[in-house]
Amino acid sequence: MANPKPAPACGCPVAAFQKMISGKYKLRIVWDLKDGPRRYGEIRTGLLRGASGSAEIAPRVLSRELKALTESGLIDRRDYGVVPPKVEYRLTRKGKSFVPVIAAIRNWGARHLEDNVVEMVAAE
Amino acid sequence: MANPKPAPACGCPVAAFQKMISGKYKLRIVWDLKDGPRRYGEIRTGLLRGASGSAEIAPRVLSRELKALTESGLIDRRDYGVVPPKVEYRLTRKGKSFVPVIAAIRNWGARHLEDNVVEMVAAE
DNA sequence: CAGCATCCTGCGTGATACTG
DNA sequence: CAGTATCACGCAGGATGCTG
């Protein structure tokens, strides 16, 4: 079954989009960052808040997603190089341009597939 | 968007959204269906077109995604109960309301996810 | 504090064969 | 034609422990 994959991505923007946001937290990270820069721990805490109960987020996972988002050009990593470590993540211009898309998703989702968060629509 | 309380106890529409469209073809299926009802084979063929020239789509996968979309209430399955079999899938009202969201995604993707599809924006 | 290294598991996906 | 049945595999994602 040695089948090489010469064509990684198709001409479909949707596929690229799906690949870009693949991962449990990517969309929420970008969304959380829309209000300004945040530190690693803040993002982590923010993700936990409202997540399914008390499940912790594996650092490995969060780290990977942040790295992927950085490589996608949606967010920017800023290391202050101090001790104790301080690292901030913020949206790039590209990332900011993506926020309205997430807003559209949230808006639609709040209307059509949420059973208890209708209030969120007005929230912003 | 001065949101003093951005803590919407995550019914998180985004998570639900991601779950709903999880799968390689779901978004594209809905998008393909926006022009009207299509048969199983047509959807399959349509997905192959532009699908990175990779192998065929496993019927099991497509079947599964169609079923999931149906259960999500985005599409509707219509079995004509004839021989040979004829089954059509079409967007529900909910599904139609979702099309603009995909359009937003495609639009953004075409602009920021440099592929070779800038033309597609105007095309569709 | 902000990660990285390692092991492990479930499921999404692919490939192939078969049926009503 | 429109699927279902089976087998196999890669990888996202969780859990722990360690480090600079």
Side-chain angles (χ1 to χ4, degrees):
Chain A
M1 174 171 94
N3 193 353
K5 290 186 175 180
C10 75
C12 189
V14 187
F17 163 83
Q18 283 187 301
K19 182 180 271 183
M20 190 188 73
I21 61 142
S22 68
K24 276 182 77 171
Y25 309 110
K26 292 208 185 78
L27 279 182
R28 295 181 57 196
I29 291 170
V30 173
W31 183 253
D32 284 350
L33 255 38
K34 81 184 192 319
D35 298 319
R38 282 195 146 192
R39 300 180 60 174
Y40 181 90
E42 294 175 325
I43 295 174
R44 187 161 185 251
T45 307
L47 288 171
L48 285 175
R49 200 188 32 158
S52 55
S54 49
E56 289 257 324
I57 298 176
R60 179 183 176 278
V61 176
L62 182 54
S63 176
R64 179 198 291 163
E65 308 229 322
L66 286 169
K67 200 169 294 180
L69 284 172
T70 303
E71 288 171 2
S72 295
L74 286 180
I75 68 175
D76 190 34
R77 194 189 113 114
R78 180 161 194 170
D79 192 334
Y80 285 80
V82 296
V83 178
K86 177 178 178 181
V87 178
E88 274 185 356
Y89 292 90
R90 63 177 60 200
L91 292 185
T92 60
R93 182 185 297 261
K94 184 177 177 182
K96 286 178 185 172
S97 76
F98 188 62
V99 169
V101 178
I102 305 183
I105 290 171
R106 287 174 58 92
N107 195 353
W108 185 91
R111 291 185 194 176
H112 295 89
L113 48 78
E114 283 303 327
D115 11 1
N116 49 354
V117 272
V118 189
E119 44 189 322
M120 297 182 66
V121 188
E124 63 213 88
Chain B
M1 48 188 85
N3 195 345
K5 189 192 173 191
C10 177
C12 212
V14 187
F17 163 83
Q18 282 187 303
K19 189 174 188 179
M20 189 188 73
I21 62 141
S22 69
K24 279 182 73 171
Y25 308 109
K26 292 208 185 77
L27 280 181
R28 296 180 57 197
I29 290 170
V30 173
W31 183 253
D32 284 351
L33 253 39
K34 82 183 191 319
D35 298 319
R38 282 194 150 192
R39 301 180 59 175
Y40 180 90
E42 294 175 326
I43 295 174
R44 188 162 186 245
T45 308
L47 287 171
L48 286 173
R49 220 182 14 165
S52 72
S54 54
E56 294 245 329
I57 297 176
R60 179 185 180 282
V61 176
L62 181 54
S63 175
R64 182 185 160 86
E65 308 230 320
L66 285 170
K67 202 168 295 182
L69 284 173
T70 303
E71 288 170 2
S72 294
L74 286 180
I75 67 175
D76 189 35
R77 192 191 113 115
R78 177 158 193 172
D79 192 334
Y80 286 80
V82 297
V83 177
K86 177 179 179 180
V87 178
E88 274 185 357
Y89 292 91
R90 64 178 59 201
L91 293 184
T92 60
R93 182 154 195 79
K94 184 177 176 182
K96 285 178 185 171
S97 76
F98 188 62
V99 169
V101 177
I102 305 182
I105 290 170
R106 288 175 57 93
N107 195 355
W108 185 90
R111 289 185 197 175
H112 297 86
L113 264 25
E114 81 285 359
D115 257 326
N116 46 348
V117 276
V118 189
E119 45 196 302
M120 298 182 67
V121 189
E124 327 176 39

